[in-house]
Amino acid sequence: MRKWLLGGLAVLLVLCGGGVAALVYFFVRPPLDVRADFTRPLRVPPPAASTVDAQGRRVFELRAQPGDSDFGHGATRTWGYNGSFLGPTLRAKRGEQVVVNVRNALAEPTTVHWHGMHLPAAMDGGPHRPIPTGGSFQAAWTVDQPAATLWYHPHPDERTEAQVYRGLAGLFIVDDDEPAQRALPHDYGVDDIPVLVQDKDFDGGGQLSMGGRFGSDIGVLGDEILVNGTPGPYLDVASQLVRLRLVNASTARIYNFALGDGRPFALVGTDGGLLDRPAMLDHVRLSVGERAEIVVALSPGERVTLRSVRALGGDLESRFNGGQDAFDILQLRAAATLRPAALPATLVATPRLDPAKAAQTRNFQFSGREINDRKMDMTRPDAVVVKDTTEVWNVSNGHGTPHSFHIHDVQFQVLRVNGAAPPPELSGWKDTLFLEPRQQYSVIARFADYADPTTAYMFHCHVLKHEDEGMMGQFVVVEPGQQPRLRH
Ligand code: C2O
Ligand code: CU
Ligand code: CU
């Protein structure tokens, strides 16, 4: 009996010792600094095929399906649209009517949401109308907003993180007739390159793992980067200027994009369109769901690396949330002779929304997994907005966890960050905004064109684990005098 007790004690000691050692390791372990080998050419998502129907509408087909992908770990089981991972790039011009036929070939319900798109609530792909296995949904609307880099991804109730992580995401590029679009590099896949960035965690069997990282309050933080599904990619460039459409399509990680030698680049666009003029920056930070269009200048024959450098402060919580990690993202390889190109001095003229004309001011406090102390309830409208009015939304993050604030249907303008004017990267159209720990933001948006008392739009944290755990609310846009009657 005594021998048994002693043996048990020894086992316990070893286990505890191991536990303590592991704990100490997690606290002192250095942040990630992941270097890539740049041996694979960057994959560029194919432009989505489309047809024009009898009514002149541009028709796309998307099929969410499982498949196998090679990321250098053997066959990894993944999900994609019309393929095994990610989806084709949809593209339409302002003024065009589009139809997307979505089919679900997955073993679980899904939806497709058009992130950044101004469209009727019933077409928005929110969690209220899941597409069952084997089912389909037809989304149809008229594209009417400035040219921009938008994206699409699933939005099912409580399963968004898992589905996006598996590979369901794609780009939706909106075009328009602004001369700046043609003055900037605009040859898709040649000098106008989508850069959809995701971090992944692979298990020993080469499968995508969602185990999460010790101490992370935001979900999976991977130690490998895929760009458009390519690990360690390089891109051959034959022009003096290359336009990169950066998309943070991760589920949790915040990136801080910079060039390896610290040289500045031109920020030309944000979530919802081009800036009024290029802004020279040496880094741009993107939280989950945010986009930035940047133009990089290259000299003949050189190699320049796009990296992600530390995105958050050095406190323990930020460290645990990956804020000190660094990654190689993409190597740009300039040809020996480069086609001349010049950056336009001005881009577009953005009308400014006037807070003095706002019909409403609302306050949203993000804390824990709640917005204003409430979790998502699909039967409860959290805001009723009158169509064709402007509102100011004050949004604050009261705690140390990073959040990413996204509003469906609209593009907003940032009025203030902690009472000050926004920096260049927050000066243009936005649909998603990084809520830094303990900071306050004020944004303004116009809720134009579409009213539907029966169907809500979402606003939520775009850290997908937080969204799935209920950090989401709904707003309903109504005609003046109308009451919401949510159909659910
Ligand atoms: Cu990118 Cu509600 O989503
Ligand atoms: Cu969205
Ligand atoms: Cu959050």
Side-chain angles (χ1 to χ4, degrees):
M1 175 69 177
R2 196 170 144 181
K3 209 167 146 193
W4 182 85
L5 260 179
L6 277 176
L9 204 65
V11 167
L12 206 69
L13 267 176
V14 168
L15 284 181
C16 290
V20 169
L23 212 63
V24 168
Y25 167 75
F26 280 121
F27 277 90
V28 300
R29 131 188 105 152
L32 296 175
D33 188 356
V34 179
R35 301 289 167 160
D37 52 7
F38 306 120
T39 52
R40 297 195 190 204
L42 177 71
R43 176 181 172 273
V44 175
S50 62
T51 54
V52 177
D53 72 3
Q55 300 155 62
R57 306 180 302 175
R58 184 167 298 286
V59 183
F60 298 96
E61 309 286 334
L62 284 182
R63 181 173 183 267
Q65 60 187 70
D68 285 334
S69 300
D70 171 15
F71 303 125
H73 297 272
T76 301
R77 288 188 297 278
T78 53
W79 293 355
Y81 295 106
N82 304 356
S84 60
F85 192 71
L86 301 178
T89 297
L90 277 63
R91 199 153 185 159
K93 197 166 162 188
R94 185 169 198 170
E96 254 187 316
Q97 287 179 272
V98 297
V99 175
V100 191
N101 294 310
V102 180
R103 281 182 298 150
N104 181 9
L106 304 169
E108 64 180 56
T110 190
T111 75
V112 180
H113 164 60
W114 320 98
H115 181 126
M117 195 71 77
H118 174 49
L119 80 185
M123 299 296 153
D124 192 40
H128 311 80
R129 263 169 248 175
I131 310 169
T133 299
S136 61
F137 178 77
Q138 185 177 72
W141 71 95
T142 302
V143 173
D144 187 13
Q145 62 192 93
T149 306
L150 312 182
W151 65 304
Y152 60 93
H153 63 76
H155 219 297
D157 192 28
E158 296 181 6
R159 289 285 293 162
T160 298
E161 182 191 24
Q163 294 196 359
V164 171
Y165 188 67
R166 280 293 193 99
L168 293 176
L171 281 167
F172 198 130
I173 297 178
V174 174
D175 295 307
D176 66 13
D177 283 326
E178 284 289 333
Q181 289 296 339
R182 298 197 72 78
L184 290 167
H186 59 274
D187 197 353
Y188 183 78
V190 176
D191 61 8
D192 179 356
I193 313 290
V195 178
L196 191 147
V197 183
Q198 300 179 304
D199 59 327
K200 302 292 175 199
D201 186 21
F202 291 91
D203 69 17
Q207 302 308 314
L208 293 172
S209 155
M210 288 193 67
R213 181 152 34 138
F214 176 83
S216 162
D217 191 29
I218 56 177
V220 190
L221 290 169
D223 56 3
E224 289 189 43
I225 297 290
L226 300 178
V227 184
N228 305 339
T230 318
Y234 68 86
L235 176 76
D236 287 317
V237 181
S239 166
Q240 289 174 348
L241 295 180
V242 61
R243 175 186 191 171
L244 304 178
R245 297 177 186 257
L246 306 175
V247 183
N248 182 345
S250 281
T251 55
R253 190 176 281 287
I254 300 143
Y255 298 96
N256 192 8
F257 293 102
L259 296 167
D261 57 4
R263 78 177 67 180
F265 53 79
L267 177 76
V268 296
T270 53
D271 303 340
L274 295 180
L275 301 182
D276 288 1
R277 60 190 60 79
M280 295 310 292
L281 300 177
D282 55 19
H283 62 89
V284 62
R285 184 168 58 182
L286 298 184
S287 70
V288 183
E290 288 185 288
R291 287 89 65 209
E293 295 186 25
I294 67 170
V295 175
V296 180
L298 296 170
S299 305
E302 71 172 345
R303 291 184 172 187
V304 181
T305 304
L306 177 70
R307 307 201 72 229
S308 175
V309 298
R310 50 182 57 179
L312 297 173
D315 59 287
L316 203 61
E317 190 163 6
S318 297
R319 251 181 47 193
F320 279 161
N321 289 324
Q324 297 282 296
D325 296 343
F327 296 91
D328 282 341
I329 304 289
L330 169 67
Q331 186 183 59
L332 303 171
R333 297 183 179 173
T337 50
L338 296 175
R339 190 159 31 82
L343 193 66
T346 61
L347 298 169
V348 295
T350 309
R352 304 310 301 189
L353 299 178
D354 181 0
K357 302 214 176 88
Q360 266 298 339
T361 300
R362 303 180 198 269
N363 300 310
F364 297 103
Q365 166 84 27
F366 279 56
S367 64
R369 296 292 187 268
E370 296 173 336
I371 303 173
N372 291 349
D373 302 318
R374 299 204 285 202
K375 286 194 191 224
M376 171 73 167
D377 176 347
M378 284 203 249
T379 64
R380 180 196 69 220
D382 296 286
V384 180
V385 177
V386 177
K387 190 185 101 176
D388 294 326
T389 65
T390 301
E391 297 202 354
V392 171
W393 289 16
N394 299 316
V395 189
S396 63
N397 178 356
H399 300 276
T401 303
H403 300 291
S404 181
F405 172 65
H406 172 48
I407 313 181
H408 285 214
D409 181 45
V410 296
Q411 292 290 334
F412 55 77
Q413 292 173 350
V414 179
L415 294 170
R416 286 181 306 280
V417 178
N418 291 322
E425 62 270 30
L426 301 182
S427 68
W429 290 116
K430 295 284 293 169
D431 54 53
T432 308
L433 178 64
F434 182 37
L435 300 186
E436 242 189 293
R438 299 179 198 85
Q439 310 292 308
Q440 296 179 9
Y441 304 80
S442 180
V443 307
I444 185 168
R446 186 162 179 81
F447 296 81
D449 304 322
Y450 306 115
D452 180 353
T454 69
T455 313
Y457 295 102
M458 315 292 106
F459 59 95
H460 59 90
C461 179
H462 218 289
V463 170
L464 298 181
K465 176 184 167 66
H466 293 180
E467 174 186 332
D468 284 343
E469 290 176 357
M471 201 165 207
M472 177 150 66
Q474 336 188 75
F475 66 97
V476 184
V477 181
V478 298
E479 300 286 353
Q482 233 176 8
Q483 289 303 311
R485 292 174 275 110
L486 285 184
R487 183 154 44 78
H488 162 61

